[in-house]
């Protein structure tokens, strides 16, 4: 199988793997907030609390994230589709479309997310055309009145209500 075919199949498989959706934020050297939509997010460790996400080397804010020393991961709630689109777009001032403020850790925090992890960078690992950023959680918050967003087959939105009403097999 040719490389291009493998890459297409890889994207098909990954696009069919349901994930949550996050926006990751930090600040630039000028103190201005930067952020982008990310679905490559996973837990790493409970002791200490750690998580990871990856950033494409072509992203204009690569340096801010890989050299900034800290970042915040916002697990979006199901009704934040427009925010998800904005932070995935080429719009320069993405923060003008949302309510946000700086945290005590000087990280831009977007209001209304399901959950937020504030992290200091533990390690950055180059892997292919991305860098994997591992963060140690220094603060976190949750809004349990919201449900997180789901991403599946290039569509994102709230978790369907019927998902919770299906009978689950008992083990």
């Amino acid at each position: 199988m040719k490389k291009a075919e493998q890459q297409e199949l890889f994207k098909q498989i990954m696009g069919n793997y349901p994930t949550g959706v996050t926006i990751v934020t930090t600040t630039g050297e000028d103190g201005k907030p930067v952020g982008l939509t990310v679905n490559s997010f996973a837990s790493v460790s409970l002791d200490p609390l750690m998580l990871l996400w990856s950033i494409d080397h072509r992203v204009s804010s690569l340096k801010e994230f890989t050299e900034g020393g800290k970042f915040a991961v916002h697990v979006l709630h199901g009704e934040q589709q427009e925010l998800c689109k904005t932070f995935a777009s080429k719009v320069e001032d993405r923060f003008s479309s949302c309510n946000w403020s700086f945290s005590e850790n000087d990280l831009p925090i977007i209001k209304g997310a399901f959950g937020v992890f504030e992290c200091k960078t533990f390690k950055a690992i180059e892997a292919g055309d991305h860098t994997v950023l591992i963060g140690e959680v220094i603060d976190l918050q949750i809004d349990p009145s919201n449900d997180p967003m789901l991403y599946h087959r290039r569509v994102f939105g709230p978790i369907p209500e019927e998902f919770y009403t299906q009978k689950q097999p008992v083990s």
Side-chain angles (χ1 to χ4, degrees), residues 12-145:
Q12 273 187 327
I13 294 168
M14 294 307 293
N16 277 284
Y17 179 68
T19 66
V21 182
T22 66
I23 290 176
V24 183
T25 61
T26 193
T27 53
E29 287 180 0
D30 58 3
K32 290 183 180 176
V34 294
L36 65 153
T37 300
V38 172
N39 76 329
S40 59
F41 165 72
S43 64
V44 173
S45 170
L46 283 175
D47 189 16
L49 294 175
M50 294 180 138
L51 53 80
L52 66 78
W53 64 284
S54 64
I55 184 169
D56 190 314
H57 290 164
R58 297 172 294 181
V59 171
S60 62
S61 55
L62 177 67
K63 182 178 177 183
E64 286 86 345
F65 285 105
T66 58
E67 298 178 14
K70 59 187 176 180
F71 55 86
V73 179
H74 303 74
V75 176
L76 297 182
H77 82 73
E79 300 302 324
Q80 290 182 302
Q81 294 100 325
E82 288 307 311
L83 197 58
C84 176
K85 288 178 191 176
T86 299
F87 278 78
S89 74
K90 301 287 185 194
V91 171
E92 280 195 40
D93 186 7
R94 297 171 180 167
F95 287 85
S96 66
S97 66
C98 64
N99 185 7
W100 69 278
S101 62
F102 282 107
S103 71
E104 291 180 12
N105 297 305
D106 291 322
L107 284 165
I109 304 300
I110 298 169
K111 306 292 185 206
F114 168 75
V116 179
F117 300 95
E118 294 183 61
C119 301
K120 64 180 181 180
T121 303
F122 175 75
K123 192 172 281 194
I125 304 163
E126 285 197 33
D129 58 7
H130 280 63
T131 294
V132 177
L133 288 160
I134 300 173
E136 183 173 347
V137 178
I138 56 175
D139 202 359
L140 64 164
Q141 61 191 22
I142 187 171
D143 180 353
S145 67

